[in-house]
Amino acid sequence: MLNIENIWTQVHDLSTDGFTLFQANRDASGKIIDLVRTYINKSGATILGADAKKLIGEGMANAYPEEVFARYKAVVETGEPFSDEISREIEGTMRWFRVTAVKVEDGFGAAFIDTTHQHQLETQLRENEEYLRNITESIPQLVWITRPDGYHEFYNQRWYEYTGTTFEQAKGEGWNHVFHPNDQKEAWKRWKHSLKTGEPYEIEYRLKNGTTGEYRWFLGRALPIRNEKGEIIRWFGTCTDIQGQKIATESQRFLAEASKILSASRDYRKALQKVAQLAVPQISDWISIELYDGNSVELGAVAHVDPDKVKWAKKLRRERPINMNDTTGVPYVLKTGLPVLYPLITEEVIKAAVKSEEELRLIKEIGFTSVLIVPIKTKDRILGAVQFVTTDSKRQFNDNDQKMAEELAGRIALTIQNASYFEEIEQREHQLQMLYESNLIGVAYTGSNGTVISANDAFFSLIGYTRKEFEKNDIKWGNLIPPEYKEIEKNKIKELMETGKAIPFEKEYIRKDGSQVPVIVGKTLINKRAGTSISFILDITERKKLEARKDEFLGIASHELKTPLTSIKGYVQILERIIQEMGDDKARTLVSKTNTYIDKLNSLIVDLLDVSKIQAGKLQFSLEKFNLADVVKESIHAIQPTTNHKLVLKSPIDVVVEADKHRLDQVLANLITNAIKYSPVGREVIISMTKKGSTIQVNVQDFGIGIEKQYQRLLFQRFYRVEASSRQFSGLGIGLYITSEIITRHGGRVWLESSPGVGSTFHFSLPIVPEDN
Amino acid sequence: MTSKHVLICEDDTGILDVASIVLESKGYLVTALAESTDIIAIVKSNIPDVILLDLWIAGKQGDEITRELKADPVTENIPVIIFSANKDTEIIARRAGADDYLPKPFDIDELEHIIEKYL
C-alpha cells in the first residue's frame, strides 16, 4: 500500500521552494489565538536557516510580526489565498520572501522562496538611480536617461533650462524638436544604431537654446547601464556644450582656408568673394567685405547661403549706399580703425541706430542677432572692413570671434596691399616696356659683370652698332668706354650694388666708328643677388653743344662788351692826362667823373655775367686760406676814397677762412656800397666782426632808410628791388643775389636786421678753418 | 739807347689805338697788329721786347699764338701779356703759358706798369 504521507514528504523535500503547513489554535470561543507550524520541507528549513524539527511546533503569534500573522489568519478565516512578498526579521536580519498561501483544513499551507537578495538589488538600484539623478543635477552638462528601448524618462534641470521645454514636451521622443533640422537625421540614425547594438552613442549636433533661439554645438554621448546579467536597463546620456571649441576649430579651419585662398589669388576681389563664401554658414549667416578708398565705400564681397538673399543685399546696397557721415557701424569702423562687436542686437540697440521707420522695418526684416565689424587696415591706412552678421542661426559673436575676424582682416589687408604692389609693379613694368619700345632713350638690361643681356634699338644706335651685331656677339664691350671713364663707371657700379641705384652721371661711349658720344646714364638694381640691373642712357650731344655754346656766349659777351669799354676808358684817361697838362682843373674833374661812371658800367657788366654764370651753375671759386680781417680791411681801404661816409671798422678778429678772396671782396664791396647808397644822409657805416662758435660773422651797419619787414626776405632774390626805393636808387637788383649765392656756396649764410627810418645791418657768416689746419 | 720794342696784337682798333698812344708817349717803339694771321713771322723777323695779345683775335687766337711762341726756342723768352676780359680768359691765358694778364677794362697806369715790369 502506498504511504501517501511519505511520498508527499519526499516530493516536498525534492522541491527547491520552501513548503510549510500551519494549524490553527483556537480558544474556547473558536477565535484563532495562534497558528502553529506542523510541517516544513527541507528547502523551507534551509531557507529559514534552522532545523526542521526545531521549526515544527513554532507558533506564529510570537515569532511573526503582527501584520504578517494577521494576513495568514485571514487566509484561514476567509479561505482567500494570497500571494505576496512578506518580510520579517529572522535572527536580527530582515528577510524577504515571496509567499503563496492557501487554506488547508483549519490552517494553511504556504509555498515560499527567499527573495531577500533580489529585494536588496532592487533597493540598491533604486538608490543608485536616485543618486545618479542627484549627480546629474550637479554636473554641468545636459543629462538624460532613457529606458532600454530609448524612451526618454528623465532630463536634468539644465536640459529644461537650456531647451526651454517641459518634461511633457520632451519625454519619449519629444527631444527631436530641440535639434537643428540639419542634424536631426544623423542623430536619430546613430541613436537607433546604439539602441540596437548597445554600442556607445556619440555625435556632435546643434541644440536650440529655448530662450535665445540660438543653435549651439553639443557633443551628445550615451552609455548603456547594464544589470548583473549584462542586460541593458537604462541609457545614460549627456550633452556637452562644445560651441566654443567647435567655433574655435571652425575658425581655425576657416582662417587656414581663407589664407590659402588669399595668398593663391592674384585677383584679390575674386579671392575676397571666395573667402566670404567660405564664411557662411559656419562662421556667420552673413558676411560682407567693404573696400574703402578714403572717401567712399564699395561692397567688395558679400555672401549668404541663400543666393536670393545675396541678390537682395546687393540691390539694397545700390539703393542705400553706406553713408560715411554715420557714426555707427561700418562708417564708424572705417573712420576710427576700431572694431565693433554687438553680441546681441536688442530692440533698444536698433531703435537707437535707425533714423527712419523704413529703416527700422528693414532691419527687423533682416532680423539681426549679432554683428561684428573689424577694420581692414595697414600700419597707416584703413582699406576697408569685414562685417559679420548673424540672423537665423541666432549665433552670438564673442571676443574669440572678434580675434578670428581681426586675424582674417589682417590677412585681407596684406592681400590688398600685395595686390596694389603687384598692380603698381605691373604698371611700372608696362611703363618700362613702353619706354623700352618707344626708343626715346637707350634702355639696357645688364648682368652682374656689366654685360648687356638685352637692350632696345635706341641703345644700339647710340653706341653705333646694330642689333644683329649684338646677337652675333660682335660688339667689343671693352672698347666701348673711354679709359678716362673707367674709374667713374667702377664707382657707379659699386654705388648701384650698395644703394640699389646709381645717381645719373655723365660719361661717353666710343662708337663703332670711333667717334665719342656724350651720355647721361642712370642705373637701377633689379635683383641684388643676381646682380642684374637696368640702365637708362640718354644721348646728351645736343645738350653738350648747347652748354658749350652758352659758355662761349658768356665769354664772347663779356669780351665784346668790355672791349669798347676798354677803348673808352683808355681814351678818357689819355684825355684826362692831356687836360691835366693844360691845367684846366674844371675839365679834368669832369673827365675824372666820366671815368668813375665807366667803372660803374663795368661792374654792372661783371654782375650780369656773374648772374648768367650762377644760372648756368658755372660760378667757380678758387679757394685759398687767408685771414678774413685782412680782406675786410683791404675792402674798406679801397672803398673809403670813393665816399664821404666814414667807414668804421670795429673789433676786427683774426680768423682764417677758406674762400675765393676776390669773390669775398666782391661781397664786402657789395654790402658796403649798398650801405652807403641806402643811407644818403647817414655819416658812417660800421663794419664789425663777431665770432660765433666755429663761424665768423661780418656785420655791415648803416643808418639809412631801412627796409620794411615784408620786403626783407625778398631782397636776396634775383632782380628784386624794393618798389618805393627803385625810382630813388639805381641798380639792377642783383648785387644781393650774387652775394647770397657766393656766401651760401662757401657754406655760410646772409641775413639782415632792419627797421625803416633807423637803418639796416647786413650779416654774413663763414665757417672758420680750425687753427691746427 | 735804342727804344724798347712792344708788339701789340688786338683786333679792336680802339684798344690798339689807346695802347699805342700810351706806350709811344712813354717812348717805346710800338708795332700794332690788328690781325694775327702773320704774327709769328712778324715776331721772328723783328723780335720785340714784350708782346701784348688779345685772347680772341680774328685769325689766330691769343692762346694759340702764345703756345707757338713759347714752344719755339727763338721766341720762347719773349714775355707775353694777354688782355683778359674775365676770370675764365685769365685761366686760358695762364694755361697757354702767358707770363701775365691785364684785365679789361684797364687803367692806362696799369698798362704802363705791366709793360715796365717785363722790360
Side-chain angles (χ1 to χ4, degrees):
Chain A
M1 202 188 110
L2 234 63
N3 185 341
I4 298 296
E5 197 170 325
N6 221 359
I7 293 168
W8 190 80
T9 304
Q10 279 178 17
V11 168
H12 277 104
D13 284 347
L14 285 172
S15 164
T16 54
D17 289 0
F19 184 74
T20 187
L21 287 172
F22 282 80
Q23 185 69 48
N25 189 359
R26 297 172 185 265
D27 63 7
S29 64
K31 190 176 156 205
I32 298 171
I33 51 168
D34 202 354
L35 288 163
V36 178
R37 193 188 309 272
T38 56
Y39 172 81
I40 187 158
N41 69 346
K42 261 186 197 163
S43 295
T46 310
I47 289 167
L48 295 178
D51 188 14
K53 281 175 187 147
K54 235 170 139 188
L55 288 167
I56 290 167
E58 183 189 39
M60 196 175 262
N62 289 329
Y64 282 61
E66 208 177 308
E67 71 275 10
V68 176
F69 173 49
R71 293 194 69 179
Y72 286 116
K73 217 159 60 175
V75 172
V76 181
E77 282 165 351
T78 63
E80 291 277 327
F82 86 85
S83 180
D84 202 356
E85 201 158 52
I86 296 290
S87 67
R88 70 181 175 105
E89 204 179 301
I90 300 173
E91 287 170 0
T93 311
M94 188 59 91
R95 303 282 299 272
W96 296 85
F97 307 95
R98 177 152 285 280
V99 183
T100 307
V102 290
K103 187 175 173 172
V104 177
E105 296 174 345
D106 190 25
F108 72 90
F112 63 97
I113 52 167
D114 186 347
T115 58
T116 304
H117 184 61
Q118 199 180 336
H119 192 85
Q120 275 169 348
L121 278 177
E122 269 170 26
T123 309
Q124 205 179 349
L125 183 64
R126 222 175 7 255
E127 278 171 2
N128 277 354
E129 222 162 86
E130 201 129 314
Y131 177 65
L132 200 61
R133 287 177 192 198
N134 284 335
I135 285 178
T136 62
E137 299 303 348
S138 63
I139 59 178
Q141 285 135 311
L142 314 185
V143 178
W144 41 272
I145 296 171
T146 77
R147 297 195 312 222
D149 62 0
Y151 182 91
H152 284 62
E153 57 174 15
F154 171 81
Y155 295 99
N156 69 350
Q157 194 55 35
R158 271 173 213 284
W159 166 276
Y160 297 121
E161 280 164 10
Y162 179 80
T163 61
T165 56
T166 62
F167 179 70
E168 284 311 310
Q169 291 166 328
K171 71 176 180 186
E173 276 151 20
W175 51 272
N176 219 347
H177 304 291
V178 176
F179 279 63
H180 190 282
N182 292 357
D183 300 336
Q184 274 175 16
K185 208 171 148 191
E186 182 65 21
W188 190 241
K189 195 175 115 194
R190 293 224 200 155
W191 177 229
K192 287 280 171 209
H193 178 79
S194 289
L195 288 179
K196 205 165 97 188
T197 60
E199 285 170 17
Y201 169 72
E202 184 170 317
I203 184 174
E204 288 179 3
Y205 44 57
R206 281 160 290 182
L207 299 180
K208 191 176 185 174
N209 182 316
T211 317
T212 62
E214 176 191 14
Y215 282 99
R216 292 178 69 85
W217 282 97
F218 282 85
L219 173 65
R221 268 187 177 146
L223 286 171
I225 301 174
R226 296 171 190 271
N227 65 10
E228 281 191 322
K229 292 179 200 155
E231 294 158 350
I232 294 172
I233 51 170
R234 292 290 186 276
W235 282 87
F236 183 83
T238 57
C239 304
T240 311
D241 188 330
I242 53 162
Q243 176 80 356
Q245 291 152 257
K246 187 84 180 168
I247 295 299
T249 315
E250 288 281 348
S251 292
Q252 284 311 315
R253 204 169 50 207
F254 168 65
L255 269 182
E257 279 290 306
S259 296
K260 235 188 273 171
I261 292 170
L262 289 170
S263 59
S265 174
R266 280 287 301 271
D267 183 345
Y268 77 89
R269 279 166 185 275
K270 270 189 194 161
L272 291 183
Q273 188 55 49
K274 275 192 201 166
V275 168
Q277 220 61 53
L278 193 66
V280 295
Q282 272 76 11
I283 303 294
S284 181
D285 295 338
W286 281 100
I287 179 172
S288 72
I289 301 174
E290 314 285 348
L291 298 177
Y292 183 55
D293 61 4
N295 294 310
S296 57
V297 191
E298 186 198 340
L299 186 60
V302 61
H304 187 279
V305 273
D306 180 354
D308 282 344
K309 289 214 168 179
V310 171
K311 266 187 217 157
W312 171 82
K314 283 182 177 169
K315 183 168 164 271
L316 182 70
R317 177 57 69 85
R318 272 195 302 275
E319 287 164 5
R320 307 171 61 89
I322 283 183
N323 180 358
M324 278 306 289
N325 293 325
D326 285 352
T327 53
T328 55
V330 171
Y332 173 83
V333 173
L334 292 179
K335 276 187 283 192
T336 61
L338 299 171
V340 157
L341 170 63
Y342 299 108
L344 185 63
I345 303 279
T346 57
E347 190 89 15
E348 289 82 65
V349 171
I350 295 172
K351 276 187 181 149
V354 297
K355 287 186 289 295
S356 67
E357 278 299 313
E358 202 225 326
E359 206 169 343
L360 183 67
R361 186 190 58 74
L362 192 72
I363 285 172
K364 281 189 170 169
E365 189 182 319
I366 299 168
F368 288 104
T369 298
S370 192
V371 173
L372 169 62
I373 312 169
V374 291
I376 301 170
K377 60 181 177 182
T378 60
K379 249 181 250 161
D380 47 5
R381 231 157 62 83
I382 296 167
L383 304 170
V386 188
Q387 181 170 220
F388 298 88
V389 173
T390 53
T391 52
D392 303 338
S393 73
K394 304 290 178 202
R395 210 192 124 194
Q396 292 179 21
F397 294 118
N398 57 26
D399 293 347
N400 288 332
D401 296 311
Q402 187 178 322
K403 270 184 218 144
M404 176 278 297
E406 281 173 337
E407 208 164 314
L408 174 71
R411 290 172 201 195
I412 292 176
L414 209 65
T415 305
I416 296 177
Q417 210 173 21
N418 283 347
S420 77
Y421 290 155
F422 274 131
E423 215 167 282
E424 209 171 305
I425 289 169
E426 260 177 12
Q427 211 169 346
R428 277 194 206 162
E429 271 174 8
H430 181 67
Q431 284 167 351
L432 195 60
Q433 195 60 30
M434 300 250 294
L435 187 67
Y436 188 88
E437 283 164 7
S438 72
N439 283 314
L440 287 172
I441 69 169
V443 180
Y445 291 95
T446 51
S448 57
N449 47 3
T451 52
V452 172
I453 299 163
S454 77
N456 64 354
D457 291 339
F459 174 75
F460 292 122
S461 84
L462 200 72
I463 60 170
Y465 286 89
T466 62
R467 180 172 290 282
K468 235 179 205 161
E469 284 169 312
F470 169 71
E471 280 159 3
K472 282 170 139 180
N473 224 354
D474 277 353
I475 300 176
K476 292 183 177 64
W477 297 103
N479 297 345
L480 212 61
I481 299 165
E484 64 264 36
Y485 287 103
K486 294 237 156 105
E487 186 67 24
I488 186 168
E489 180 81 15
K490 220 172 86 188
N491 291 338
K492 282 291 172 179
I493 286 174
K494 198 169 154 236
E495 181 186 325
L496 173 74
M497 296 310 285
E498 279 167 7
T499 67
K501 64 177 178 207
I503 293 163
F505 62 103
E506 290 183 12
K507 69 168 185 180
E508 287 180 5
Y509 283 123
I510 301 173
R511 312 184 75 204
K512 189 186 174 187
D513 62 9
S515 63
Q516 284 190 215
V517 54
V519 290
I520 189 159
V521 182
K523 292 172 187 284
T524 300
L525 203 58
I526 299 172
N527 184 324
K528 187 165 183 172
R529 249 181 327 141
T532 48
S533 66
I534 183 164
S535 300
F536 301 97
I537 306 108
L538 187 66
D539 183 343
I540 53 168
T541 307
E542 284 309 309
R543 206 185 85 189
K544 281 281 172 198
K545 272 188 201 161
L546 262 176
E547 270 176 24
R549 237 178 279 156
K550 189 162 186 178
D551 284 352
E552 201 179 346
F553 170 77
L554 285 176
I556 290 169
S558 68
H559 185 261
E560 290 304 308
L561 287 169
K562 283 183 177 181
T563 301
L565 202 66
T566 307
S567 302
I568 296 165
K569 195 176 168 95
Y571 283 122
V572 168
Q573 285 180 351
I574 293 166
L575 189 59
E576 198 180 355
R577 280 184 184 179
I578 294 167
I579 291 168
Q580 198 171 10
E581 277 165 24
M582 285 161 60
D584 186 340
D585 276 357
K586 202 175 167 190
R588 200 195 68 83
T589 312
L590 290 176
V591 173
S592 172
K593 277 185 181 169
T594 311
N595 205 22
T596 309
Y597 286 99
I598 291 166
D599 285 345
K600 273 196 179 168
L601 181 58
N602 182 49
S603 80
L604 286 176
I605 294 168
V606 169
D607 278 357
L608 267 179
L609 290 168
D610 280 349
V611 171
S612 310
K613 281 184 193 166
I614 290 169
Q615 288 301 296
K618 294 251 166 216
L619 194 64
Q620 282 174 359
F621 300 122
S622 29
L623 298 181
E624 55 185 312
K625 287 174 190 166
F626 56 86
N627 185 346
L628 182 62
D630 289 346
V631 176
V632 173
K633 284 174 199 164
E634 279 164 27
S635 290
I636 293 172
H637 189 70
I639 300 166
Q640 187 60 77
T642 67
T643 176
N644 293 324
H645 285 67
K646 188 168 168 47
L647 305 182
V648 182
L649 176 62
K650 276 189 183 167
S651 59
I653 301 168
D654 289 325
V655 286
V656 177
V657 293
E658 187 170 23
D660 186 313
K661 213 172 186 171
H662 295 288
R663 289 296 182 187
L664 270 198
D665 183 55
Q666 190 182 347
V667 166
L668 283 160
N670 176 253
L671 294 181
I672 295 169
T673 53
N674 272 353
I676 294 166
K677 184 165 150 191
Y678 293 102
S679 62
V681 294
R683 262 178 284 165
E684 61 179 19
V685 171
I686 300 169
I687 298 106
S688 61
M689 292 174 77
T690 342
K691 199 172 162 184
K692 291 256 167 82
S694 58
T695 58
I696 184 75
Q697 195 174 305
V698 178
N699 321 295
V700 180
Q701 184 181 13
D702 71 53
F703 303 91
I705 57 168
I707 302 143
E708 284 186 50
K709 191 114 197 150
Q710 76 229 52
Y711 301 127
Q712 290 181 8
R713 250 173 355 109
L714 305 168
L715 279 182
F716 299 100
Q717 292 180 4
R718 190 159 50 124
F719 303 127
Y720 183 79
R721 307 204 60 234
V722 176
E723 192 74 19
S725 70
S726 55
R727 264 163 264 116
Q728 194 183 346
F729 302 98
S730 63
L732 291 176
I734 53 179
L736 283 175
Y737 170 68
I738 296 168
T739 290
S740 167
E741 181 71 17
I742 292 170
I743 294 299
T744 311
R745 292 269 311 272
H746 278 85
R749 193 163 83 82
V750 189
W751 72 102
L752 79 150
E753 294 161 81
S754 182
S755 35
V758 180
S760 308
T761 306
F762 281 80
H763 310 269
F764 72 84
S765 66
L766 285 175
I768 299 171
V769 176
E771 272 177 46
D772 51 14
N773 267 357
Chain B
M1 167 182 147
T2 50
S3 298
K4 292 288 181 184
H5 179 197
V6 180
L7 183 140
I8 311 171
C9 184
E10 162 66 70
D11 61 356
D12 181 83
T13 49
I15 296 173
L16 192 62
D17 190 26
V18 167
S20 301
I21 294 168
V22 171
L23 296 178
E24 276 171 1
S25 73
K26 288 292 267 183
Y28 301 127
L29 174 67
V30 175
T31 305
L33 299 178
E35 61 129 277
S36 60
T37 321
D38 304 320
I39 187 167
I40 302 292
I42 293 164
V43 167
K44 282 185 173 175
S45 68
N46 185 7
I47 302 283
D49 294 297
V50 63
I51 298 169
L52 202 52
L53 283 177
D54 189 19
L55 196 58
W56 283 303
I57 326 169
K60 208 173 254 181
Q61 301 248 334
D63 54 335
E64 222 177 305
I65 297 164
T66 308
R67 272 198 193 90
E68 277 186 42
L69 292 172
K70 292 295 179 186
D72 190 330
V74 180
T75 54
E76 66 179 347
N77 290 322
I78 310 168
V80 175
I81 301 162
I82 288 180
F83 288 122
S84 77
N86 55 46
K87 214 157 184 168
D88 297 336
T89 51
E90 188 185 308
I91 294 163
I92 296 168
R94 287 229 181 268
R95 276 194 197 146
D99 296 270
D100 216 332
Y101 62 94
L102 184 63
K104 281 183 193 175
F106 51 83
D107 286 330
I108 56 175
D109 294 349
E110 284 172 342
L111 174 66
E112 287 168 357
H113 287 149
I114 205 162
I115 296 298
E116 274 166 23
K117 199 173 144 187
Y118 290 96
L119 287 177

